[in-house]
Amino acid sequence: MKKTVLSLTLATTAFCGSAVAKEMPDPYTEAGPAIQVRQGIHQLMGATLMDAGAIATGKKEWNGFTLLNRVDGLAQVAQMYNAFFFVEGSFEQSNTVDDLLERKTEFQSQSKALQNATYGLRMAVRNHDPAASMKGFVSTIQACNACHQSFMKPGTEVILPLPAQDAAPAH
């Protein structure tokens, strides 16, 4: 009897799960979901970078592998960001400049610069190199800011603050 109940429960869960999955919007092809995913990823990137910076500069307590986890997450999220950016019709409700599609190659180049910066930061943190980590944070923030200045409508650019030059990296 227990096996039958368990089998029915698993079958029901699988069926309901597949029914829900079919109703999920596709952010790779639908404008509304693409904008939502893009905004969520964007906010996550900024929050992760600021949190990792606070840990690295000693403003927030180091908690085991917290910094490494943040930086790994940032590198992974930076890879995903570009995938949702060029969905047809997703720019009307966004803060991107109107000529973004004509400047797709430039955007992808800036996106690659962000990915490279996050990989450099990731390697420095993995190698426990405080000076290289601070340099990696600065490079990553500069990559974010360069893209914001180039591709966001005036008045909507969010410029991330650079760490103070005298900030002592955490060990």
Side-chain angles (χ1 to χ4, degrees):
M1 179 69 170
K2 287 183 182 179
K3 287 183 180 179
T4 304
V5 171
L6 181 59
S7 296
L8 287 173
T9 302
L10 290 173
T12 303
T13 303
F15 176 74
C16 290
S18 66
V20 171
K22 290 180 183 176
E23 295 174 11
M24 294 289 290
D26 183 2
Y28 291 99
T29 60
E30 297 177 36
I35 292 169
Q36 290 176 338
V37 170
R38 198 165 61 218
Q39 289 171 341
I41 290 173
H42 198 224
Q43 290 171 353
L44 180 61
M45 281 176 24
T48 301
L49 183 59
M50 292 297 100
D51 193 42
I55 294 166
T57 58
K59 293 178 183 172
K60 188 173 181 179
E61 184 178 337
W62 178 286
N63 183 3
F65 291 103
T66 305
L67 177 59
L68 186 56
N69 289 336
R70 296 293 188 277
V71 172
D72 281 347
L74 180 64
Q76 292 167 1
V77 167
Q79 277 184 310
M80 292 177 6
Y81 188 58
N82 203 21
F84 298 103
F85 226 97
F86 294 99
V87 175
E88 188 174 331
S90 68
F91 299 106
E92 291 80 13
Q93 301 169 11
S94 72
N95 288 331
T96 56
V97 292
D98 295 332
D99 65 346
L100 178 64
L101 288 176
E102 291 82 27
R103 297 169 57 201
K104 184 175 182 176
T105 303
E106 181 185 350
F107 178 85
Q108 289 174 326
S109 174
Q110 295 234 16
S111 180
K112 190 65 173 171
L114 173 63
Q115 288 177 22
N116 290 339
T118 61
Y119 289 139
L121 172 59
R122 184 181 194 195
M123 293 310 297
V125 170
R126 283 186 172 274
N127 292 331
H128 303 281
D129 185 338
S133 295
M134 287 306 293
K135 184 178 177 184
F137 279 114
V138 170
S139 296
T140 302
I141 290 170
Q142 288 172 331
C144 290
N145 289 342
C147 197
H148 287 197
Q149 290 170 332
S150 293
F151 293 103
M152 292 186 75
K153 291 178 182 172
T156 63
E157 312 97 325
V158 176
I159 305 303
L160 302 173
L162 292 173
Q165 296 298 322
D166 60 349
H171 297 275

Short mmCIF file of all heavy atoms in Angstrom, two decimals, residues 143-171:
data_model
loop_
_atom_site.label_atom_id
_atom_site.label_comp_id
_atom_site.label_asym_id
_atom_site.label_seq_id
_atom_site.Cartn_x
_atom_site.Cartn_y
_atom_site.Cartn_z
N ALA A 143 34.20 47.87 -15.67
CA ALA A 143 33.52 47.24 -16.81
C ALA A 143 32.01 47.46 -16.72
O ALA A 143 31.36 47.76 -17.73
CB ALA A 143 33.85 45.75 -16.88
N CYS A 144 31.46 47.34 -15.53
CA CYS A 144 30.02 47.60 -15.33
C CYS A 144 29.70 49.05 -15.70
O CYS A 144 28.77 49.32 -16.45
CB CYS A 144 29.61 47.36 -13.87
SG CYS A 144 29.62 45.64 -13.34
N ASN A 145 30.48 49.97 -15.15
CA ASN A 145 30.22 51.39 -15.36
C ASN A 145 30.37 51.79 -16.82
O ASN A 145 29.59 52.61 -17.33
CB ASN A 145 31.14 52.24 -14.47
CG ASN A 145 30.74 52.15 -13.01
OD1 ASN A 145 29.63 51.75 -12.68
ND2 ASN A 145 31.64 52.53 -12.13
N ALA A 146 31.35 51.22 -17.52
CA ALA A 146 31.55 51.56 -18.94
C ALA A 146 30.32 51.17 -19.75
O ALA A 146 29.87 51.93 -20.62
CB ALA A 146 32.80 50.86 -19.48
N CYS A 147 29.76 50.02 -19.46
CA CYS A 147 28.58 49.56 -20.19
C CYS A 147 27.38 50.45 -19.85
O CYS A 147 26.60 50.84 -20.72
CB CYS A 147 28.29 48.10 -19.86
SG CYS A 147 27.18 47.32 -21.04
N HIS A 148 27.21 50.78 -18.56
CA HIS A 148 26.11 51.65 -18.15
C HIS A 148 26.20 52.98 -18.89
O HIS A 148 25.19 53.49 -19.38
CB HIS A 148 26.16 51.91 -16.65
CG HIS A 148 25.75 50.74 -15.83
ND1 HIS A 148 25.39 50.85 -14.50
CD2 HIS A 148 25.63 49.42 -16.12
CE1 HIS A 148 25.07 49.65 -14.03
NE2 HIS A 148 25.21 48.77 -15.00
N GLN A 149 27.39 53.56 -18.95
CA GLN A 149 27.56 54.86 -19.59
C GLN A 149 27.29 54.80 -21.09
O GLN A 149 26.78 55.75 -21.67
CB GLN A 149 28.95 55.41 -19.31
CG GLN A 149 29.12 55.80 -17.86
CD GLN A 149 30.56 56.11 -17.47
OE1 GLN A 149 31.50 55.57 -18.06
NE2 GLN A 149 30.74 56.96 -16.48
N SER A 150 27.60 53.69 -21.71
CA SER A 150 27.42 53.56 -23.16
C SER A 150 26.01 53.18 -23.57
O SER A 150 25.54 53.62 -24.61
CB SER A 150 28.36 52.48 -23.72
OG SER A 150 29.69 52.89 -23.62
N PHE A 151 25.33 52.37 -22.78
CA PHE A 151 24.10 51.76 -23.25
C PHE A 151 22.84 52.06 -22.46
O PHE A 151 21.77 51.59 -22.82
CB PHE A 151 24.28 50.25 -23.36
CG PHE A 151 25.26 49.87 -24.43
CD1 PHE A 151 26.54 49.48 -24.10
CD2 PHE A 151 24.91 49.95 -25.76
CE1 PHE A 151 27.46 49.16 -25.08
CE2 PHE A 151 25.82 49.64 -26.76
CZ PHE A 151 27.10 49.24 -26.41
N MET A 152 22.93 52.84 -21.39
CA MET A 152 21.71 53.20 -20.66
C MET A 152 21.31 54.62 -21.00
O MET A 152 22.15 55.48 -21.24
CB MET A 152 21.93 53.03 -19.16
CG MET A 152 22.10 51.57 -18.77
SD MET A 152 22.18 51.30 -17.01
CE MET A 152 20.46 51.50 -16.59
N LYS A 153 20.01 54.86 -21.03
CA LYS A 153 19.50 56.19 -21.34
C LYS A 153 19.99 57.18 -20.29
O LYS A 153 20.08 56.85 -19.11
CB LYS A 153 17.97 56.16 -21.37
CG LYS A 153 17.41 55.38 -22.53
CD LYS A 153 15.91 55.34 -22.51
CE LYS A 153 15.39 54.50 -23.67
NZ LYS A 153 13.95 54.25 -23.58
N PRO A 154 20.29 58.41 -20.71
CA PRO A 154 20.74 59.42 -19.75
C PRO A 154 19.74 59.58 -18.61
O PRO A 154 18.53 59.58 -18.80
CB PRO A 154 20.80 60.70 -20.60
CG PRO A 154 21.02 60.21 -22.00
CD PRO A 154 20.25 58.91 -22.09
N GLY A 155 20.28 59.66 -17.42
CA GLY A 155 19.45 59.79 -16.23
C GLY A 155 19.09 58.46 -15.59
O GLY A 155 18.56 58.43 -14.48
N THR A 156 19.36 57.35 -16.27
CA THR A 156 19.05 56.04 -15.70
C THR A 156 20.32 55.25 -15.40
O THR A 156 20.24 54.14 -14.89
CB THR A 156 18.16 55.20 -16.63
OG1 THR A 156 18.85 54.96 -17.85
CG2 THR A 156 16.85 55.89 -16.91
N GLU A 157 21.49 55.83 -15.75
CA GLU A 157 22.73 55.10 -15.53
C GLU A 157 22.96 54.95 -14.02
O GLU A 157 22.81 55.90 -13.27
CB GLU A 157 23.95 55.84 -16.09
CG GLU A 157 23.81 56.34 -17.49
CD GLU A 157 23.41 57.81 -17.53
OE1 GLU A 157 22.65 58.25 -16.65
OE2 GLU A 157 23.85 58.49 -18.46
N VAL A 158 23.29 53.76 -13.62
CA VAL A 158 23.68 53.51 -12.23
C VAL A 158 25.18 53.30 -12.26
O VAL A 158 25.66 52.35 -12.87
CB VAL A 158 22.97 52.26 -11.67
CG1 VAL A 158 23.45 51.95 -10.27
CG2 VAL A 158 21.46 52.46 -11.68
N ILE A 159 25.90 54.20 -11.65
CA ILE A 159 27.35 54.10 -11.63
C ILE A 159 27.76 53.55 -10.27
O ILE A 159 27.45 54.12 -9.23
CB ILE A 159 28.01 55.48 -11.90
CG1 ILE A 159 27.48 56.07 -13.21
CG2 ILE A 159 29.52 55.37 -11.89
CD1 ILE A 159 27.67 55.21 -14.44
N LEU A 160 28.43 52.43 -10.30
CA LEU A 160 28.85 51.77 -9.06
C LEU A 160 30.09 52.46 -8.50
O LEU A 160 31.00 52.82 -9.25
CB LEU A 160 29.16 50.29 -9.33
CG LEU A 160 28.01 49.48 -9.92
CD1 LEU A 160 28.49 48.08 -10.29
CD2 LEU A 160 26.86 49.40 -8.94
N PRO A 161 30.15 52.64 -7.19
CA PRO A 161 31.31 53.31 -6.59
C PRO A 161 32.54 52.40 -6.59
O PRO A 161 32.42 51.19 -6.38
CB PRO A 161 30.85 53.60 -5.17
CG PRO A 161 29.82 52.55 -4.88
CD PRO A 161 29.15 52.26 -6.20
N LEU A 162 33.69 53.00 -6.83
CA LEU A 162 34.94 52.25 -6.74
C LEU A 162 35.37 52.19 -5.28
O LEU A 162 35.08 53.11 -4.51
CB LEU A 162 36.04 52.94 -7.56
CG LEU A 162 35.84 52.92 -9.07
CD1 LEU A 162 36.89 53.79 -9.75
CD2 LEU A 162 35.91 51.51 -9.60
N PRO A 163 36.05 51.12 -4.86
CA PRO A 163 36.55 51.04 -3.49
C PRO A 163 37.53 52.18 -3.25
O PRO A 163 38.23 52.62 -4.16
CB PRO A 163 37.28 49.70 -3.42
CG PRO A 163 36.81 48.93 -4.60
CD PRO A 163 36.38 49.92 -5.63
N ALA A 164 37.56 52.68 -2.02
CA ALA A 164 38.50 53.74 -1.66
C ALA A 164 39.92 53.25 -1.93
O ALA A 164 40.24 52.07 -1.71
CB ALA A 164 38.34 54.11 -0.20
N GLN A 165 40.77 54.14 -2.42
CA GLN A 165 42.14 53.76 -2.76
C GLN A 165 42.91 53.25 -1.55
O GLN A 165 43.81 52.44 -1.68
CB GLN A 165 42.88 54.94 -3.38
CG GLN A 165 42.28 55.39 -4.71
CD GLN A 165 42.33 54.29 -5.77
OE1 GLN A 165 43.29 53.53 -5.86
NE2 GLN A 165 41.29 54.20 -6.57
N ASP A 166 42.52 53.70 -0.36
CA ASP A 166 43.23 53.26 0.85
C ASP A 166 42.56 52.08 1.52
O ASP A 166 42.93 51.69 2.62
CB ASP A 166 43.36 54.43 1.83
CG ASP A 166 42.01 54.97 2.26
OD1 ASP A 166 40.98 54.61 1.66
OD2 ASP A 166 41.99 55.79 3.20
N ALA A 167 41.55 51.49 0.87
CA ALA A 167 40.88 50.34 1.45
C ALA A 167 41.85 49.16 1.55
O ALA A 167 42.49 48.79 0.59
CB ALA A 167 39.66 49.93 0.61
N ALA A 168 41.93 48.62 2.74
CA ALA A 168 42.82 47.49 2.96
C ALA A 168 42.09 46.20 2.64
O ALA A 168 41.04 45.93 3.21
CB ALA A 168 43.29 47.48 4.41
N PRO A 169 42.62 45.40 1.72
CA PRO A 169 41.96 44.14 1.40
C PRO A 169 41.97 43.18 2.59
O PRO A 169 42.95 43.14 3.33
CB PRO A 169 42.76 43.57 0.25
CG PRO A 169 43.87 44.51 -0.03
CD PRO A 169 43.81 45.63 0.94
N ALA A 170 40.89 42.44 2.76
CA ALA A 170 40.82 41.43 3.82
C ALA A 170 41.68 40.23 3.43
O ALA A 170 41.84 39.93 2.26
CB ALA A 170 39.37 40.99 4.03
N HIS A 171 42.22 39.56 4.41
CA HIS A 171 43.07 38.40 4.15
C HIS A 171 42.33 37.12 4.38
O HIS A 171 41.50 36.95 5.13
CB HIS A 171 44.32 38.43 5.02
CG HIS A 171 45.18 39.62 4.72
ND1 HIS A 171 46.10 39.62 3.72
CD2 HIS A 171 45.22 40.85 5.28
CE1 HIS A 171 46.72 40.80 3.69
NE2 HIS A 171 46.18 41.56 4.63
#
